[in-house]
Amino acid sequence: MKVFVSKRIPQEGINMLKEAGLEVFIPEHENLSHEEWLIHCQNNDAILSVGAEFKYDKDFFDQCPDIKTIALYSVGFDHVDIMEANRRNIPIGNTPDVLSKATSDVAFLLMQSVARRASYNFQKVKDGNWGDFDPLHALGQELYGKTLGILGLGRIGFEMAKKSRAAFDMKIIYHNRHRNEEAEQELNAAYVSFEELIAQSDVLSIHASFTPEQKDLFNGSVFEKMKSDAIFINTARGGFQNEKDLYEALTEKKIWGAGLDVTNPEPMSKESPLLELSNVCVLPHIGSATIEARTGMAKIAAENIIAFFKGEKIPYCANPEVYSGKN
Ligand code: DGY
């Protein structure tokens, strides 16, 4: 069985695949064109898929009818047409859990960075503009006792809430498809409607998985209803925010600041007006970029593929409804 690993990943995952007797193909150069990528997909039985630049949509499945499984090197699977994979009975693996701490660390980092204007102040130092002590210039805000609103209180949201509560005694409110009883008991998190979430949060942090219906969920009319000193944090997917509206909300002081690890599109253009604002911090989608998380992701992705080829149930499956462990 041949596995196409679409970009280099930590060696532990590759070793696992080879030790399981699978033939591993890793392209020599990494910036594949769509055509090159498609040819590799057609020449292999499984894909260990790194990055989200190419979509797994109906066209893809039509053009690669022999692909048996796709193990994503990500927890998010918004670049896969899951209905289409279901129709063809193709299991899609993903990598939850191992990146929850790392990704929530980035949300926590952005929250503090925006609250204390860290990137603005760092830029001043780099520009040779340290400045004199000024009791009124570029003041931040403290987070102690404030309300953290979480959209999507799953594994990553839980970690963000836990840290924020421990560090700043923040009150946790959340909005989700389902109630999270563990968070309600352990973190005293309160379930609220979406309208209450946006109106009551001092910091609003997105940790939900993204679907096309949620595109531009955070638009002008939502920013309008948020507190004028609210901080907006997104480490989930850039599609949640309308960036033009976010820019207006920030410049018109409808909200206080924004910290983004995800943008729409990615990469963000260096011409984006958001980058000119002193109350914005943008990172280049580094949520899972730690040695520990990326190694864990490599191992899980390999585990998913190995399980499939052994005819076992995939341990981390984004569409478990279609697949019960027969290949
Ligand atoms: C994920 O795992 O979904 C991260 O956002 C990386 O794409």
Side-chain angles (χ1 to χ4, degrees):
M1 294 291 181
K2 293 192 292 182
V3 183
F4 166 37
V5 179
S6 68
K7 270 187 197 167
R8 285 181 309 124
I9 58 168
Q11 193 59 33
E12 285 86 341
I14 304 296
N15 293 346
M16 284 169 66
L17 293 171
K18 289 186 175 163
E19 280 158 21
L22 296 165
E23 195 182 318
V24 177
F25 171 75
I26 308 174
E28 264 165 34
H29 71 100
E30 299 224 316
N31 297 321
L32 299 178
S33 66
H34 184 265
E35 206 184 351
E36 290 169 320
W37 169 78
L38 199 61
I39 291 171
H40 296 319
C41 294
Q42 286 163 339
N43 289 340
N44 286 275
D45 301 298
I47 308 167
L48 194 159
S49 173
V50 187
E53 55 269 63
F54 302 130
K55 309 287 170 219
Y56 295 100
D57 53 13
K58 183 173 181 309
D59 274 358
F60 166 83
F61 290 113
D62 283 344
Q63 291 178 78
C64 301
D66 297 329
I67 278 297
K68 297 177 182 64
T69 187
I70 301 170
L72 303 176
Y73 188 75
S74 64
V75 64
F77 46 87
D78 47 302
H79 54 309
V80 180
D81 184 336
I82 288 286
M83 297 302 281
E84 202 53 47
N86 287 355
R87 262 195 281 285
R88 296 162 195 255
N89 214 26
I90 295 177
I92 308 295
N94 69 340
T95 60
D97 293 331
V98 283
L99 46 66
S100 300
K101 286 197 164 60
T103 305
S104 61
D105 285 347
V106 168
F108 190 70
L109 168 87
L110 284 169
M111 173 173 77
Q112 291 182 83
S113 171
V114 174
R116 296 302 305 270
R117 299 178 171 257
S119 50
Y120 166 71
N121 281 302
F122 183 37
Q123 189 61 47
K124 276 179 54 184
V125 176
K126 286 201 283 186
D127 292 345
N129 187 20
W130 184 294
D132 295 331
F133 176 76
D134 181 343
L136 296 177
H137 178 67
L139 302 187
Q141 53 166 305
E142 297 188 12
L143 296 164
Y144 299 94
K146 299 237 167 118
T147 297
L148 170 64
I150 304 246
L151 180 69
L153 188 46
R155 300 177 186 89
I156 301 173
F158 187 91
E159 291 294 332
M160 170 64 171
K162 193 162 101 180
K163 276 190 262 283
S164 305
R165 205 168 137 75
F168 298 116
D169 197 20
M170 292 178 89
K171 177 181 164 203
I172 311 298
I173 58 174
Y174 75 102
H175 181 72
N176 234 16
R177 272 171 307 169
H178 309 290
R179 297 285 283 258
N180 185 328
E181 282 171 21
E182 190 191 354
E184 291 185 14
Q185 277 163 21
E186 277 186 35
L187 307 174
N188 208 17
Y191 180 86
V192 294
S193 67
F194 181 73
E195 290 298 317
E196 289 168 322
L197 186 86
I198 59 176
Q200 293 174 17
S201 298
D202 295 308
V203 177
L204 195 151
S205 190
I206 306 180
H207 298 283
S209 39
F210 182 72
T211 59
E213 302 76 58
Q214 288 160 314
K215 177 150 174 42
D216 289 346
L217 178 64
F218 285 83
N219 55 33
S221 73
V222 167
F223 292 127
E224 187 86 46
K225 293 177 193 149
M226 288 173 64
K227 292 184 177 179
S228 58
D229 56 359
I231 294 173
F232 173 76
I233 303 293
N234 190 0
T235 53
R237 285 294 180 264
F240 276 108
Q241 72 234 354
N242 179 311
E243 288 180 10
K244 191 169 158 289
D245 290 4
L246 176 60
Y247 177 81
E248 269 171 34
L250 289 161
T251 48
E252 290 168 17
K253 307 212 178 320
K254 289 181 180 147
I255 64 170
W256 200 79
L260 310 174
D261 186 43
V262 288
T263 62
N264 184 23
E266 287 183 10
M268 176 181 256
S269 157
K270 76 179 180 34
E271 313 301 332
S272 168
L274 283 168
L275 296 176
E276 284 160 21
L277 302 181
S278 65
N279 49 355
V280 170
C281 178
V282 181
L283 298 174
H285 203 146
I286 57 160
S288 65
T290 64
I291 296 164
E292 293 82 354
R294 292 281 166 90
T295 304
M297 291 161 73
K299 289 182 182 169
I300 287 188
E303 248 182 82
N304 278 339
I305 290 186
I306 293 166
F308 177 82
F309 283 115
K310 283 185 176 165
E312 292 167 4
K313 207 163 188 300
I314 285 190
Y316 301 91
C317 192
N319 56 346
E321 62 277 16
V322 300
Y323 181 70
S324 58
K326 44 169 189 352
N327 61 38

